[in-house]
């Protein structure tokens, strides 16, 4: 299909439409940042998304997540909190049916369908005293909008929503089905995006405006695992006769670090990660244990996040890690009486490599070039995203591409408003070319 015949819009028209709605886009982002959509608390932000999608004239659906239906899927990750009252919000644009014999009318030409997906959940804010201003009170400083979730990835959600709005402003609408998804739990399981896939949402292409202004060429696998260590408790006065659970957990983590170092060695790397500084990270994200200062600790829980390369199955990682923990336990000189349990909650996410030669992704790169005047860059991410559901399990040509910013998962997270506007224009142009356009009904 020659998409140029489907899109009569020029780059300049799209840029002008996006520029004209800049204040609206910023206000929308501020409103979204103010809705603190931490794990389990996504409802107020999702209510905003529902209203936005309705305002675009979309057919809006709320998708309840039925965990029983996800459990047998290879992309499922064990949940952390109940799904009661927590929903994905989906807005569907359906083009008007083609007119018979209307060959001279662009509306007679059917384009290709598209999913634009974003996650509404944000990661914990951490110690608020480290933030320059409160994380859920958006603050603008020049081009930067600060706040938890501003970059990861409410700026991206604003970009795809305002991209469709820009086309409407120009009096047109996509000539193919466009599905906007605002999903929960990208940051810990991906079960929100998985639920959409299993509910039958598919398309000829999918884009996730995650905070990379480059196209994602690969992403790592990510696994969360929990170690529960039970020590040999005694009075602190004779601590040398017992084994503290905290100290033993530290020993196990130190042994795991050796595996992390091994996977980062050049000969163990995946080709997509040969130039990275340190692609594989084992993060000790949370540790909890002990009773008080004068007792040797009886219990310690350590929550870790392990990265691993594309092509490795989560089950293989679990087998390797469990064997390592068993060995490390047995090798400790004072292991007698110490118990170690391993469990999995959250990500059991496989990695992937994207074929950027696919027509949809070439078209996205072309749109980036035509809007920005620069060739699109690509990056192999050292994290995971919901892309795996589209790519690995939906067989949908897909990538991530979104606004630039910094400090995601850290403090003083910010997104560049100019970048968000630029991504909005790129997505609008891509959507117009990929889906084709018809005069708004
Ligand atoms: Zn994200």
């Amino acid at each position: 299909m020659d998409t140029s015949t489907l899109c009569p819009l020029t780059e300049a028209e799209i840029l002008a439409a996006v520029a004209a709605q800049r204040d609206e886009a910023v206000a929308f982002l501020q409103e979204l940042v103010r809705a603190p959509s931490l794990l389990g608390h996504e409802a107020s932000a999702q209510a905003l998304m529902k209203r936005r999608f309705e305002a675009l004239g979309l057919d809006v659906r709320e998708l309840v997540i039925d965990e029983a239906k996800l459990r047998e899927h290879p992309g499922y990750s064990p949940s952390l909190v109940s799904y009661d009252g927590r929903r994905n919000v989906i807005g569907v644009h359906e083009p008007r049916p083609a007119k018979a014999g209307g060959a001279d009318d662009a509306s007679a030409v059917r384009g290709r369908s598209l999913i634009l997906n974003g996650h509404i959940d944000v990661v914990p804010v951490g110690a608020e005293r480290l933030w320059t201003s409160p994380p859920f009170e958006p603050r603008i400083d020049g081009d930067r909008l600060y706040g938890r979730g501003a970059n990861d990835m409410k700026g991206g959600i604003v970009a795809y929503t305002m991209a469709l709005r820009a086309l409407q402003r120009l009096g047109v609408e996509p000539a193919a089905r466009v599905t906007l998804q605002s999903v929960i739990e990208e940051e810990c399981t991906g079960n929100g995006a998985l639920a959409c896939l299993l509910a039958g949402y598919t398309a000829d292409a999918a884009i996730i405006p995650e905070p990379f202004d480059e196209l994602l060429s690969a992403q790592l696998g990510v696994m969360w695992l929990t170690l529960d260590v039970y020590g040999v408790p005694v009075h602190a006065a004779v601590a040398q006769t017992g084994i503290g659970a905290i100290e033993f957990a530290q020993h196990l983590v130190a042994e795991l670090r050796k595996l992390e170092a091994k996977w980062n060695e050049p000969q163990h790397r995946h080709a997509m990660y040969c130039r990275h500084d340190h692609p594989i990270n084992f993060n000790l994200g949370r540790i909890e244990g002990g009773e008080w200062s004068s007792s040797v600790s009886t219990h310690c829980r350590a929550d870790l996040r392990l990265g691993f390369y594309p092509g490795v199955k989560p089950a293989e990682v679990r087998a390797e890690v469990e064997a390592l923990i068993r060995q490390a336990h047995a090798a400790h000189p004072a292991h007698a009486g110490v118990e170690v349990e391993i469990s999995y909650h959250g990500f059991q996410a496989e990695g992937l490599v994207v074929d950027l030669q696919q027509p949809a992704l070439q078209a996205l790169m072309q749109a980036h070039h035509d809007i920005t005047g620069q060739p699109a860059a690509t990056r192999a991410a050292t994290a995971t995203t919901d892309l795996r559901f589209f790519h690995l399990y939906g067989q949908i040509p897909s990538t991530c591409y979104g606004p630039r910013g910094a400090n995601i998962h850290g403090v003083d997270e910010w997104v560049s408003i100019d970048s968000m506007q630029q991504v909005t224009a790129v997505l609008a142009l891509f959507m117009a070319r990929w889906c084709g356009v018809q005069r708004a009904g």
Side-chain angles (χ1 to χ4, degrees), residues 56 69 92 152 184 199 249 303 403:
L56 287 170
K69 285 190 185 148
V92 181
D152 186 12
I184 63 169
D303 292 324

Side-chain angles (χ1 to χ4, degrees), residues 119 152 186-187 210:
H119 65 83
D152 186 12
E186 187 274 348
E187 296 287 5
E210 283 278 13

Side-chain angles (χ1 to χ4, degrees), residues 119 121 151-153 186-187 210-211 384-385 408-409:
H119 65 83
D121 55 312
N151 196 29
D152 186 12
M153 61 167 281
E186 187 274 348
E187 296 287 5
E210 283 278 13
T384 186
T385 73
I408 63 170
H409 296 225

